[in-house]
Amino acid sequence: MPQKRRQRLKWTLTLIAGGLIGATLAVFIAMVLAIKVAGTELHNYAVEFLEQDERIASNIDAIVAAGNTSPYPECSEQDLQFLRELLFRSPYTKDIGRPRGNALLCSAVIGRLPVPLERKRTAQTTYRNRDIYYNVDLAIAPGQRAEVIAEGKTNVVVSPDIFSEFSRPPMLFAGAIVDHQKKHVLQMYSSSSHQLPLDLLLSDKPVRRHGMLYHPHCSSTRPDCVLTAISIRDVRRQSMPFLVAAALLGAAVAALIILYVGLIRRRHRTLSAQLRRAIQRRQLEVLYQPIVEVSTGRVACCEALARWRDEDAVPIRPEVFISIAEEHGFIRDLTDVVVERVASDTRTLLAEHPGFRVSINISAYDLADPGFPERLQELLATSGVVANNIGLELTERSTTDKEIVVEAIRKLRSFGHVIYIDDFGTGYSSLGYLHELSVNMLKVDRVFTNTIGTDSITSAILPQILSMAAALELGIVIEGVEHQEQADFLRSQEGQIFAQGWFYGKPMPIHQLRAHVASTHQHS
Ligand code: C2E
Ligand code: CA
Ligand code: CA
């Protein structure tokens, strides 16, 4: 298969796989959310149920209490009339009667029975002097069952459909009377023939069991509880539009991330190819930023900073192209090009000012290359520049592989180079280690310069670095000086301090630097 088609196939497969993973992940998250929402709905449903239950219960309590206040002889015509009027006023009861033991003497609906009607004993519970019978076979409607509440000489048949208006499919409910002490649960109402696991009412905790979500909830004033439930399948069915949207969104986001990463990688690959070409063609530029001796204002040194524009003439930041060169293993070639350019650029300047020093940034990879010190001498020798004029800046990051670094620095110093630790204070700094490395100078990172004149905690660090450098006999360059105030502060410090930053001059082409050096040397 041709390379291009294989590439396209790989891309398509990656996109499909990524899209699927994104969609699955999003559906999973959406389903977790949907279940959470369903849990809240079950809770609200249960709360409403109990509110309704308490409203009905207090109404029935009032009816039972009123039934007991009848001033008439039990089951007399006036008594029956009294009960009928009560029944008429109560929306939740089907009949009001006069029981004796397990038998019914008379009721508002049936009237007086010639012979007391014996009833089968059914499950029963007692709550505040009131007997609550469950599933009673009704005399008024044979074959029908309902709850009967009895107290004193009155009993009422609770309408079996008091909660019929209350159904909210696909949610289910089952109301029950629960004796938490005896762990006894008596089912009263249910929204379906589906038997809910009422034992859950004893725990009062939402539970997920056998593909169902359950939410138990009990009244704080009565023994009444409700268990609301919904099946996960119904939750899924209800949330289907949401799940589909999540799947699409997840797939789209995953695909976008893959495309974005792919584009960045491609751009990176092509940038690295362009950079490699630019290095081969010696197309890097170098700018020079003055480094000033603070006490005299003289430009005593400068730092060489590489510049590169890609093939569309877009300037690429040094941090970006340096790390591309490092990642792709051609930073040595880049360093060589910079060294060559510095050597040829600065020949005249160095001839005019033999004590002047140009520092070059060196990568950790250069330092790890055992042939680097010698190669550097060869490159310099072709332009007649001597090692004394060339400083080398290493970042603390590059001071990781200690033995190799110590050896490389020893060699470079023996040739006459001055060694700087760059961005001091931002990497990990071990003072003892600094001493072992036997560098000459510290370049203090601009984060510390920015604290001059502020009362931030780190502002106390700069004076400490200065005194530590003095104790270790290390020279100091303060980076990133941008304001007069910072320069004034540095001038007020004891000892020789060098500084670099926009206040003294931005990175500039070599001819500008030469003019600049000449002018500061005249003035001093
Ligand atoms: P660095 O070695 O810390 O270089 C100093 C950076 O600070 C330069 O950024 C410089 O332009 C900038 N700078 C100077 N004065 C000020 C100031 O007053 N304020 C602010 N905000 N910034 C200031 P640049 O040129 O973009 O270089 C960035 C980094 O790229 C350098 O940091 C260095 O680590 C690396 N680099 C540049 N050229 C080379 C090179 O030839 N070889 C290697 N290995 N690395 C290089
Ligand atoms: Ca530097
Ligand atoms: Ca620096």
Side-chain angles (χ1 to χ4, degrees), residues 368-429:
D369 171 7
F372 173 70
E374 280 81 9
R375 200 171 67 249
L376 179 63
Q377 305 324 300
E378 284 167 23
L379 289 170
L380 294 176
T382 53
S383 322
V385 171
V386 293
N388 283 325
N389 295 122
I390 300 295
L392 299 169
E393 299 192 4
L394 328 171
T395 55
E396 285 179 275
R397 285 185 298 286
S398 59
T399 56
T400 35
D401 199 342
K402 199 167 110 187
E403 270 166 33
I404 296 173
V405 174
V406 168
E407 175 52 22
I409 290 178
R410 191 197 59 73
K411 221 180 207 176
L412 289 166
R413 281 193 63 173
S414 76
F415 288 131
H417 292 292
V418 168
I419 309 293
Y420 297 75
I421 287 289
D422 203 356
D423 303 337
F424 182 76
T426 57
Y428 78 97
S429 338

Side-chain angles (χ1 to χ4, degrees), residues 210-328:
H210 305 316
M212 298 283 292
L213 288 180
Y214 295 103
H215 191 95
H217 188 53
C218 288
S219 158
S220 54
T221 53
R222 304 178 60 84
D224 300 3
C225 291
V226 61
L227 183 67
T228 47
I230 190 167
S231 73
I232 302 283
R233 200 163 0 113
D234 284 328
V235 172
R236 199 177 301 130
R237 208 168 28 222
Q238 266 184 336
S239 331
M240 203 37 99
F242 174 53
L243 295 182
V244 170
L248 292 176
L249 192 72
V253 168
L256 278 178
I257 291 174
I258 289 171
L259 281 174
Y260 181 71
V261 170
L263 280 178
I264 298 265
R265 274 182 50 183
R266 206 159 125 193
R267 169 144 178 81
H268 208 249
R269 255 208 311 277
T270 54
L271 262 191
S272 92
Q274 291 186 34
L275 178 60
R276 222 188 278 254
R277 276 196 290 277
I279 290 170
Q280 277 162 5
R281 297 172 188 162
R282 304 285 188 269
Q283 283 168 339
L284 296 193
E285 298 292 322
V286 176
L287 295 185
Y288 300 87
Q289 187 174 28
I291 298 177
V292 168
E293 186 183 18
V294 169
S295 56
T296 60
R298 278 162 57 123
V299 178
C301 333
C302 70
E303 176 176 3
L305 293 160
R307 293 291 178 263
W308 175 54
R309 287 172 182 271
D310 72 5
E311 290 169 7
D312 299 321
V314 177
I316 308 294
R317 289 194 302 130
E319 284 94 341
V320 174
F321 69 77
I322 297 295
S323 69
I324 292 178
E326 285 180 338
E327 275 168 33
H328 290 78

Side-chain angles (χ1 to χ4, degrees), residues 199-220:
D199 57 303
L200 294 179
L201 287 173
L202 295 168
S203 77
D204 208 23
K205 271 202 305 277
V207 173
R208 184 171 171 173
R209 190 194 273 180
H210 305 316
M212 298 283 292
L213 288 180
Y214 295 103
H215 191 95
H217 188 53
C218 288
S219 158
S220 54

Side-chain angles (χ1 to χ4, degrees), residues 4-125:
K4 227 178 179 145
R5 264 180 64 193
R6 210 169 38 220
Q7 198 74 13
R8 203 173 305 150
L9 184 69
K10 197 175 118 195
W11 258 104
T12 316
L13 290 178
T14 312
L15 272 178
I16 292 174
L20 282 177
I21 293 172
T24 313
L25 210 68
V27 166
F28 175 77
I29 294 170
M31 195 59 204
V32 169
L33 284 177
I35 287 177
K36 242 191 146 55
V37 170
T40 312
E41 279 176 2
L42 286 181
H43 171 80
N44 294 342
Y45 189 31
V47 168
E48 276 177 48
F49 179 96
L50 276 187
E51 278 169 10
Q52 166 94 335
D53 176 82
E54 279 170 6
R55 226 177 0 256
I56 293 168
S58 60
N59 183 285
I60 289 174
D61 284 354
I63 296 293
V64 174
N68 285 334
T69 60
S70 168
Y72 310 109
E74 251 176 61
C75 294
S76 63
E77 251 330 293
Q78 293 104 316
D79 188 39
L80 286 174
Q81 188 54 33
F82 182 87
L83 294 184
R84 281 185 199 115
E85 277 166 24
L86 263 187
L87 181 63
F88 185 73
R89 292 210 314 263
S90 164
Y92 304 123
T93 53
K94 290 286 185 197
D95 196 8
I96 306 178
R98 298 284 183 215
R100 179 163 307 150
N102 243 16
L104 181 69
L105 304 180
C106 63
S107 89
V109 173
I110 304 174
R112 194 186 173 90
L113 286 152
V115 187
L117 187 69
E118 284 292 331
R119 274 197 301 219
K120 259 200 293 171
R121 275 205 166 274
T122 59
Q124 172 208 343
T125 189

